[in-house]
Amino acid sequence: MSPMRYTLIPQDPQAHQFGGRLELDRPDPSGQRLSLPAWIPGSYMIRDFARHVVSLEAWSGEAPVRVEKLDKDTWRCEPCAGPLQVRWQVYAWDPSVRAAALDDTGGFCNGSSVFLRPLGIEDGPFELLIEAPATPVRGHWRVATTMEAQAVDADGWGRYRAGDYEELIDHPIRFGEFTRFGFEVAGVPHEIVLSGAPRVDRERLCADLAAVCRAHIDLFGELPVDRYVFFMNVVGSGYGGLEHRSSTVLDVAREALPLSGDPADREPYLELLGLCSHEYFHLWNVKRIRPAAFVPFDLSREVHTTLLWAFEGFTSYYDDLGLRRAGRLTHEQYLQRLAGVITRVHRGAGRFRQTVLESSFDAWTRFYKQDENAPNAIVNYYAKGALIALALDLTIRGRTDGARSLDDVMRLLWARYGDGAGIDERGIESVAGEATGLDLDTFFDTALRSTQDLDLEALLRPCGIELRWQVPQPGAGYVPALGASVEAAAELPRIARVFDGGPARAAGIAPGDRVIAVDGVHLRGEALAKWLARLPAGTAIAMHVLRGDRLHELAVALQPPPADAAELVIVDRSGDTAVRHRAAWLDGV
């Protein structure tokens, strides 16, 4: 079968427009339908990429073909006897990892943003011609993508190949000037494509990423790709990533990049390594082991699954654990980061209102559409899922005296479902029992189908680790004595979130309120949080807030801040057995 041919051109960078073309030798004789996806795998939110289509025209030979729009993201070409050519333009000015952006300094796209899908013939194969822009651009532009190259020049312009539409949109494409360097792990080349950063300690970044990748490869026993690319888009501030079948796209804050002479444990850099670790783990867990509901992907609508607690939660557990096993975190540093996850989960009353199964199922409508009441209404399936993974790992290790672990569950999942066949909604529970020989029904009923807190104190104790609860210090806008988070605006601090059970809720303070004064004193910026932290519990204050254009005076009785900050401490007197269990867990031995 001859391939269907796409052409992609960064057509008008100054107008932020990509040009696309699709040539079909054998279109549907009843009228070829074409569509753009509503979402992209890994992003559980309807994006409606079709709204960015600026124009769409069709021809058969020299004759124009009438195009009818059927709904918000589907077009139909009138029947034609010969080959069909469709041309379109797409506006691209979304710099996130999930869409497309283009200007005269460079660009980026996920295929879901720019490639029309020929309905009914998505099985391909497809050939993609990437043409250089004809309009002037700044600098020397090149192309970077993990798509299979067929005939390209030294800068990457030319022909590529994808087996089907799903593969076509799963290879992001970078245009423009960028820095490219890399390393090898397990005989497989790994590259870092860095955009927007003239300075970086390449040697350190490569060495650290290689160690992290090796830790995950050692867990699964094999690497399912013959090439991998970390696409890093460097920004002033930002954090996020999106996994692909042989790459990941990352938004990286400039301060996170390592420079020569930096300390190895600088927190922003560790955050970057953790993000890379998370997305790399997705090579196995979600890109290949994935819910049956996603096989095949229906990209036109929301596809619900209750399994995101495992696919994102387990990945969130192994991201920092991978850093520890790679020797990039000490035991103490890892436990500090794990304590942060425990704190985030326990600080939200939403964990008592929503199970992780419900949170997973409602990702489309609640988790990715959070409002100011989110901490009181939902539980984060990433963070709670990571704690479930922790509890499951320690439960298995404890009940088998270290002979089995969650690592064995992941390896059996890979052996059984790594071909992409898809696992049903209770399949992970079954595999966990099979891999360990344990009856884990009670554990899963509590962890997944109830809102009870996990007994982490008891599970950590055999490893010589104590979970302690401390009164937090104000930070990141959280004001414990007020029971609210505050955005430190330049003039009027703004109440961002009000937590259930706190004095702010009792006093009638609302999200969005702008604080004018406390006891008649105007406290600017961060001064509000610092002042409230100094007042004794039980202090009654008068707070003036502006809600919309109306002034409110509220009486607030400050309460003792809750001891909701987790701390994990290695106990020196724990003994040799605990040391052995702790090393087996944290070192992966």
Side-chain angles (χ1 to χ4, degrees):
M1 178 185 297
S2 61
M4 290 168 277
R5 295 173 296 279
Y6 280 95
T7 301
L8 180 66
I9 313 169
Q11 191 170 41
D12 192 346
Q14 291 184 329
H16 319 299
Q17 290 187 3
F18 282 102
R21 185 168 68 245
L22 174 60
E23 300 170 68
L24 301 173
D25 291 337
R26 292 182 298 278
D28 188 327
S30 63
Q32 182 62 53
R33 291 182 303 136
L34 304 144
S35 180
L36 266 181
W39 62 288
I40 182 173
S43 173
Y44 304 104
M45 188 173 182
I46 294 295
R47 304 282 169 177
D48 286 332
F49 295 117
R51 63 195 171 98
H52 296 303
V53 174
V54 175
S55 65
L56 192 154
E57 301 171 302
W59 285 265
S60 181
E62 298 298 323
V65 172
R66 188 174 67 87
V67 179
E68 176 188 9
K69 192 168 186 179
L70 302 179
D71 53 40
K72 66 179 180 179
D73 54 19
T74 310
W75 295 260
R76 181 172 58 201
C77 302
E78 68 178 353
C80 57
L84 177 70
Q85 182 180 108
V86 184
R87 302 175 190 172
W88 63 92
Q89 289 179 307
V90 174
Y91 178 72
W93 196 230
D94 180 346
S96 75
V97 299
R98 298 175 180 87
L102 180 69
D103 65 13
D104 61 356
T105 67
F108 164 81
C109 70
N110 284 297
S112 55
S113 303
V114 295
F115 293 127
L116 282 170
R117 176 172 46 149
L119 299 180
I121 48 177
E122 299 101 315
D123 290 342
F126 295 106
E127 182 182 85
L128 171 63
L129 173 63
I130 303 179
E131 292 186 357
T135 56
V137 294
R138 284 189 264 172
H140 179 77
W141 278 31
R142 296 184 292 162
V143 176
T145 182
T146 52
M147 197 177 302
E148 180 185 346
Q150 295 290 292
V152 301
D153 64 19
D155 291 328
W157 305 104
R159 297 190 180 277
Y160 295 83
R161 183 187 184 281
D164 55 27
Y165 184 81
E166 185 179 323
E167 180 183 347
L168 178 74
I169 65 171
D170 212 6
H171 291 287
I173 306 170
R174 166 65 65 188
F175 306 88
E177 291 190 311
F178 49 79
T179 303
R180 173 186 273 158
F181 51 96
F183 54 92
E184 188 173 289
V185 185
V188 173
H190 290 59
E191 296 177 9
I192 299 167
V193 172
L194 197 62
S195 302
R199 296 183 184 276
V200 64
D201 186 339
R202 299 186 186 189
E203 184 176 348
R204 172 180 292 183
L205 186 56
C206 285
D208 289 344
L209 283 182
V212 172
C213 294
R214 167 56 69 185
H216 293 321
I217 296 169
D218 287 347
L219 169 62
F220 287 100
E222 61 179 313
L223 181 59
V225 294
D226 55 15
R227 179 190 174 204
Y228 190 85
V229 174
F230 294 92
F231 291 95
M232 295 188 182
N233 180 38
V234 182
V235 294
S237 62
Y239 179 87
L242 184 64
E243 69 276 1
H244 294 275
R245 65 179 58 200
S246 55
S247 65
T248 181
V249 183
L250 310 167
D251 279 340
V252 177
R254 194 175 308 280
E255 67 164 349
L257 291 175
L259 300 179
S260 180
D262 280 347
D265 61 351
R266 201 169 54 90
E267 185 59 28
Y269 180 52
L270 294 178
E271 288 289 331
L272 169 59
L273 292 180
L275 177 62
C276 293
S277 177
H278 183 100
E279 303 303 339
Y280 194 77
F281 196 85
H282 274 317
L283 265 178
W284 297 270
N285 194 40
V286 98
K287 292 310 298 183
R288 288 160 179 86
I289 312 168
R290 58 185 184 178
F294 292 170
V295 183
F297 283 113
D298 183 347
L299 299 172
S300 66
R301 62 178 182 87
E302 298 97 334
V303 180
H304 297 274
T305 175
T306 61
L307 289 176
L308 298 184
W309 62 271
F311 287 102
E312 291 294 354
F314 281 19
T315 303
S316 296
Y317 173 63
Y318 275 104
D319 55 21
D320 279 345
L321 188 58
L323 264 61
R324 165 56 227 144
R325 291 177 173 179
R328 269 49 193 176
L329 294 173
T330 65
H331 285 191
E332 290 78 8
Q333 288 172 325
Y334 171 72
L335 293 175
Q336 182 180 12
R337 297 170 75 84
L338 181 58
V341 179
I342 297 172
T343 298
R344 288 196 297 275
V345 173
H346 280 251
R347 193 162 280 169
R351 74 187 195 278
F352 295 127
R353 291 190 169 91
Q354 187 185 53
T355 69
V356 289
L357 297 182
E358 293 166 340
S359 179
S360 297
F361 192 85
D362 289 340
W364 299 89
T365 56
R366 300 187 70 183
F367 184 79
Y368 278 98
K369 293 184 178 180
Q370 292 189 29
D371 58 21
E372 61 280 351
N373 194 48
N376 304 315
I378 69 173
V379 67
N380 183 323
Y381 59 77
Y382 282 80
K384 180 66 181 288
L387 296 189
I388 291 172
L390 166 68
L392 179 57
D393 198 2
L394 296 180
T395 296
I396 295 169
R397 291 174 184 275
R399 289 175 59 182
T400 64
D401 194 29
R404 293 287 183 270
S405 72
L406 185 59
D407 296 352
D408 296 290
V409 178
M410 297 309 302
R411 283 189 280 265
L412 184 56
L413 283 169
W414 174 243
R416 188 75 53 80
Y417 296 100
D419 61 358
I423 187 167
D424 65 36
E425 297 296 289
R426 298 192 71 154
I428 291 175
E429 300 172 52
S430 299
V431 169
E434 182 180 349
T436 61
L438 300 174
D439 182 348
L440 295 167
D441 289 349
T442 300
F443 172 89
F444 283 118
D445 284 342
T446 301
L448 305 181
R449 283 173 276 276
S450 84
T451 58
Q452 297 179 42
D453 283 334
L454 301 164
D455 191 0
L456 298 179
E457 290 92 337
L459 292 170
L460 288 161
R461 201 171 296 123
C463 294
I465 298 170
E466 285 188 1
L467 171 57
R468 302 170 182 172
W469 294 98
Q470 308 290 337
V471 174
Q473 297 297 313
Y478 179 48
V479 185
L482 189 61
S485 60
V486 180
E487 294 176 354
E491 287 297 323
L492 298 182
R494 177 184 177 275
I495 302 296
R497 288 176 169 175
V498 176
F499 299 102
D500 284 351
R505 176 73 81 213
I509 296 174
D513 285 355
R514 289 168 290 167
V515 181
I516 295 176
V518 173
D519 291 336
V521 179
H522 177 39
L523 299 169
R524 301 182 181 184
E526 297 180 355
L528 172 65
K530 292 178 179 179
W531 175 248
L532 294 179
R534 294 178 58 192
L535 298 178
T539 300
I541 62 173
M543 182 176 288
H544 286 81
V545 301
L546 196 61
R547 185 174 302 162
D549 61 356
R550 297 186 62 187
L551 182 67
H552 295 258
E553 181 179 356
L554 303 171
V556 184
L558 300 180
Q559 296 177 2
D564 61 0
E567 182 183 20
L568 296 178
V569 180
I570 298 175
V571 181
D572 292 336
R573 63 182 184 278
S574 53
D576 293 342
T577 300
V579 171
R580 175 171 56 85
H581 284 311
R582 186 167 65 244
W585 165 38
L586 298 180
D587 300 334
V589 295

